[in-house]
Amino acid sequence: MYYKYTTLVSLHLIVFLVTCCTMSCATKGTDVKLNKVDQMNKTSNGPVPSDCLHCICIVESGCKMPNPLCTMDVGSLSCGPYQIKEGYWTDARLKGGDLDGDWKKCTATFDCSERAVQGYMMRYAVSSRIGHTPTCEDFARIHNGGPNGYKNPNTLGYWEKVKACLS
């Protein structure tokens, strides 16, 4: 009886270790990427729904961590998968918290970059400010064009790209 029990426990331990090693080996040194359906089903921690947030990320960087992290865009650096400028990050901190205390450090991670977008939207994409309940179109156009981007005709092309991703 003791032999059968220890064999069964050993077998479970081996299965557990093989499973953990396989998962660890499969993800070690690579970015774990969610497919579009998984990303859309991920819960959102802020006003921007997950599917909208994901499509903004897709339009900005293909939702990949850029290398190099920052690139020059319209006269200033934009960093990370959401192409966040330092002023955007600073504004986002007013509603989004510390955001890792450093703009480039924050934009070097998906988690903090998403928190920055959510913080920015908590500040600027609010119904009391824009006159209606914000939609993905509002979030995308504010992300692209700043606080008043939701009413700037120059952000319509950006919205069309985000909308195509949502389809």
Side-chain angles (χ1 to χ4, degrees):
M1 177 71 170
Y2 176 76
Y3 175 75
K4 286 181 181 177
Y5 175 75
T6 57
T7 303
L8 183 60
V9 170
S10 297
L11 182 61
H12 284 149
L13 182 59
I14 290 169
V15 169
F16 173 77
L17 291 173
V18 168
T19 303
C20 289
C21 180
T22 302
M23 287 170 45
S24 175
C25 294
T27 60
K28 193 165 195 112
T30 63
D31 292 331
V32 176
K33 294 180 176 64
L34 298 175
N35 66 33
K36 187 173 179 180
V37 173
D38 290 338
Q39 183 73 28
M40 288 177 8
N41 290 331
K42 192 175 95 175
T43 57
S44 176
N45 293 320
V48 185
S50 296
D51 59 344
C52 182
L53 191 65
H54 177 69
C55 285
I56 290 170
C57 188
I58 289 290
V59 170
E60 291 294 348
S61 67
C63 217
K64 296 179 177 130
M65 190 60 67
N67 185 12
L69 179 66
C70 302
T71 55
M72 190 58 70
D73 175 48
V74 193
S76 62
L77 290 175
S78 293
C79 300
Y82 290 88
Q83 293 295 284
I84 295 171
K85 294 183 179 289
E86 189 171 17
Y88 183 112
W89 176 83
T90 300
D91 282 356
R93 292 181 74 191
L94 295 173
K95 294 286 185 174
D98 181 60
L99 298 177
D100 292 354
D102 181 84
W103 162 55
K104 287 185 181 176
K105 179 181 175 188
C106 176
T107 58
T109 69
F110 280 89
D111 175 65
C112 191
S113 293
E114 289 174 4
R115 287 186 286 125
V117 173
Q118 295 288 11
Y120 193 83
M121 296 309 158
M122 284 188 274
R123 179 165 187 202
Y124 292 116
V126 293
S127 57
S128 61
R129 186 176 175 281
I130 66 174
H132 59 270
T133 301
T135 63
C136 184
E137 178 176 354
D138 297 313
F139 297 129
R141 293 177 68 193
I142 289 170
H143 179 76
N144 178 245
N148 293 316
Y150 71 98
K151 60 185 178 181
N152 183 339
N154 294 328
T155 62
L156 287 170
Y158 182 85
W159 163 241
E160 289 301 321
K161 292 176 188 174
V162 173
K163 185 166 67 170
C165 169
L166 292 167
S167 301

